[in-house]
């Protein structure tokens, strides 16, 4: 239907990679709706050309920034101020209804049925379920709503400094008025929920329709080995998601997006495409002198990234592990990884 569209936002080239994978996943699952991406001037011209290959409309918008450092500091996410740029989605009045999706989401199946919902339909946030998560929501474009949101942002700000706080203030009746506007959590499965309620993920995770890579570390910040199709992170970010979803993201990126990025000159070689976003990759590349050479072979790639073994970890007692968990410092990529927790859970259930 030409008057309905999925909409996403890219404020820079990094998030454009996420938007490209999201758009490709929607197409892969045969959506009948149009695809629209809002971009800011920070998105490069070559990246815009790639976005035009995936999206029906690529629309340039100005940045809206809350500059609310106090609230954003509480969340430890100062970069979220620019997420107010998302408000521009209400100005797309060429459409009668839209579904907004953050660029760090991934579609696992056809979700066109979301267009049967009304504004504002969204899934609960895992951190505070009486608030909805603004990563996926159904809405109706309206200049009146757009102006009202801008006015509220100007006069009252946002309780978290970003778009989610503002939208929950504006659509304040969401929690109590109409249960039909509460999307099932499978439409916005967030990474943090896997660790906070692992039994539920074990029981219902297979039904997930949209995965949301919440947190500071995004799929494009991981290190990917194209030969083994494995993903690795050198971060201990507490919102690391199940590796199977990360692998899905990278499979789409390497198969559908990487050739486009290379064709339009966004990336020059496999090394840049797969590892330039990893700080470790840059450190190793420069220390080994690889970036000074005209070509980077697969062998070099594995020498610099793929074949490194992690250093042995010091012994940690059960009591110390417990204290680290309570302080939010669990070893999510090691002893407290998803696979280890799942293995422990299986043992108890058996």
């Amino acid at each position: 239907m030409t008057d309905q569209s999925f909409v996403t936002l890219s404020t820079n080239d990094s998030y454009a990679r996420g938007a490209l994978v999201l758009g490709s996943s929607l197409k892969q699952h045969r959506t009948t709706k149009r695809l629209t991406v809002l971009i800011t001037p920070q998105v490069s011209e070559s990246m815009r050309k790639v976005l035009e290959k995936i999206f029906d409309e690529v629309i340039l918008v100005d940045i809206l920034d809350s500059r609310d450092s106090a609230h954003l500091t509480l969340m430890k996410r100062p970069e979220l101020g620019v997420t107010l740029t998302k408000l521009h989605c209400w100005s797309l009045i060429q459409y009668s209804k839209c579904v907004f999706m953050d660029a760090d989401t991934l579609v696992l199946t056809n979700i066109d049925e979301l267009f049967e919902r009304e504004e504002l339909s969204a899934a609960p946030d895992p951190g505070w379920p009486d608030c909805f998560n603004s990563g996926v929501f159904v809405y109706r474009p309206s200049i009146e709503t757009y102006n009202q949101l801008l006015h509220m942002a100007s006069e009252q700000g946002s309780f978290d400094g970003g778009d989610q706080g503002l939208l929950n203030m504006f659509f304040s009746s969401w929690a109590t008025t109409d249960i039909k506007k509460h999307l099932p959590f499978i439409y916005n499965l967030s990474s943090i929920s896997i660790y906070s309620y692992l039994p539920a993920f074990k029981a219902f995770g297979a039904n997930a329709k949209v995965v949301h890579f919440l947190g500071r570390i995004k799929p494009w910040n991981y290190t990917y080995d194209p030969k083994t199709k494995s993903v690795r992170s050198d971060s201990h970010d507490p919102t690391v998601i199940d590796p199977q979803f990360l692998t899905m993201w990278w499979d789409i990126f390497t198969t559908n997006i990487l050739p486009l990025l290379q064709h339009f000159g966004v990336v020059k070689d496999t090394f840049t495409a797969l590892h330039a976003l990893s700080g470790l990759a840059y450190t190793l590349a420069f220390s080994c002198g690889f970036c000074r050479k005209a070509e980077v072979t697969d062998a070099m790639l594995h020498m610099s990234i793929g074949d490194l073994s992690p250093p042995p970890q010091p012994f940690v007692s059960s009591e110390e592990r417990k204290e680290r968990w309570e302080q939010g410092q669990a070893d999510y990529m090691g002893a407290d990884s998803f696979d280890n927790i799942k293995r422990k859970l299986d043992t108890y259930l058996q």
Side-chain angles (χ1 to χ4, degrees):
M1 298 180 64
T2 58
D3 67 335
Q4 297 181 344
S5 180
F6 285 101
V7 179
T8 190
L9 168 67
S10 175
T11 54
N12 54 46
D13 279 12
S14 293
Y15 272 84
R17 286 173 165 83
L20 287 165
V21 171
L22 169 61
S24 183
S25 69
L26 284 163
K27 286 190 168 183
Q28 182 175 304
H29 294 292
R30 302 182 183 279
T31 180
T32 62
K33 313 302 180 181
R34 290 177 65 80
L35 303 182
T36 303
V37 58
L38 305 177
I39 63 170
T40 64
Q42 283 66 35
V43 177
S44 65
E45 185 62 36
S46 56
M47 185 62 83
R48 295 182 194 184
K49 293 178 180 178
V50 180
L51 289 165
E52 289 171 356
K53 293 296 181 180
I54 299 294
F55 290 87
D56 298 300
E57 281 200 274
V58 179
I59 300 174
L60 182 65
V61 296
D62 294 326
I63 288 181
L64 299 176
D65 192 338
S66 70
R67 293 183 172 84
D68 190 346
S69 58
H71 288 129
L72 292 171
T73 299
L74 289 176
M75 298 177 65
K76 299 180 180 180
R77 298 292 300 280
E79 76 277 10
L80 290 182
V82 298
T83 59
L84 287 181
T85 307
K86 185 184 296 187
L87 300 183
H88 283 297
C89 71
W90 266 273
S91 69
L92 302 176
I93 57 175
Q94 65 268 41
Y95 300 120
S96 63
K97 187 182 292 186
C98 296
V99 173
F100 185 92
M101 304 186 72
D102 278 348
D104 59 352
T105 58
L106 177 68
V107 171
L108 307 179
T109 187
N110 186 287
I111 55 171
D112 285 0
E113 70 272 11
L114 284 179
F115 287 85
E116 299 172 11
R117 304 275 182 152
E118 290 301 323
E119 181 180 79
L120 187 290
S121 291
D125 187 83
W128 195 266
D130 276 348
C131 291
F132 59 82
N133 183 278
S134 61
V136 178
F137 59 85
V138 184
Y139 74 100
R140 287 189 177 276
S142 163
I143 295 299
E144 181 181 1
T145 303
Y146 175 61
N147 288 332
Q148 289 173 352
L149 283 165
L150 291 180
H151 179 75
M152 175 174 281
S154 175
E155 295 297 317
Q156 301 181 43
S158 164
F159 68 73
D160 66 0
D163 67 276
Q164 183 161 303
L166 177 68
L167 292 177
N168 272 277
M169 291 166 60
F170 188 84
F171 296 98
S172 58
S173 65
W174 174 88
T176 56
T177 301
D178 188 355
I179 193 63
K180 292 180 181 179
K181 294 183 179 180
H182 288 220
L183 296 182
F185 196 58
I186 57 172
Y187 286 101
N188 193 349
L189 175 65
S190 59
S191 53
I192 196 171
S193 65
I194 294 177
Y195 289 100
S196 62
Y197 197 4
L198 184 60
F201 176 74
K202 184 178 176 66
F204 307 115
N207 298 322
K209 296 189 174 187
V210 178
V211 176
H212 190 179
F213 297 97
L214 282 176
R216 183 175 53 86
I217 307 300
K218 302 302 181 185
W220 51 88
N221 298 134
Y222 284 73
T223 300
Y224 180 74
D225 186 332
K227 289 188 175 180
T228 62
K229 292 190 175 182
S230 59
V231 184
R232 196 189 75 226
S233 172
D234 299 291
S235 167
H236 291 270
D237 187 274
T239 55
V240 174
I241 201 168
D242 183 356
Q244 66 172 316
F245 294 132
L246 285 172
T247 301
M248 289 180 186
W249 189 96
W250 274 97
D251 281 345
I252 293 176
F253 179 81
T254 54
T255 303
N256 301 339
I257 306 306
L258 179 56
L260 290 174
L261 295 176
Q262 292 173 324
H263 176 77
F264 286 97
V266 178
V267 295
K268 304 300 182 183
D269 50 50
T270 303
F271 176 82
T272 305
L274 300 183
H275 302 290
L277 292 171
S278 167
L280 175 63
Y282 270 128
T283 301
L284 291 169
F286 279 107
S287 65
C288 297
F290 291 162
C291 285
R292 301 185 189 96
K293 297 187 178 182
E295 295 183 359
V296 180
T297 65
D298 284 343
M300 291 177 177
L301 184 63
H302 284 283
M303 285 173 62
S304 62
I305 299 294
D307 294 336
L308 283 180
S309 299
Q313 298 298 313
F315 173 77
V316 179
S317 66
S318 298
E319 191 63 30
E320 188 175 351
R321 282 183 67 194
K322 179 181 177 183
E323 290 180 3
R324 290 185 180 183
W325 267 93
E326 292 172 347
Q327 296 169 5
Q329 299 174 355
D331 183 12
Y332 289 99
M333 297 303 292
D336 304 315
S337 68
F338 172 81
D339 288 338
N340 285 342
I341 296 174
K342 183 175 181 293
R343 195 175 299 115
K344 193 91 170 181
L345 180 64
D346 289 339
T347 301
Y348 284 130
L349 291 177
Q350 291 170 3

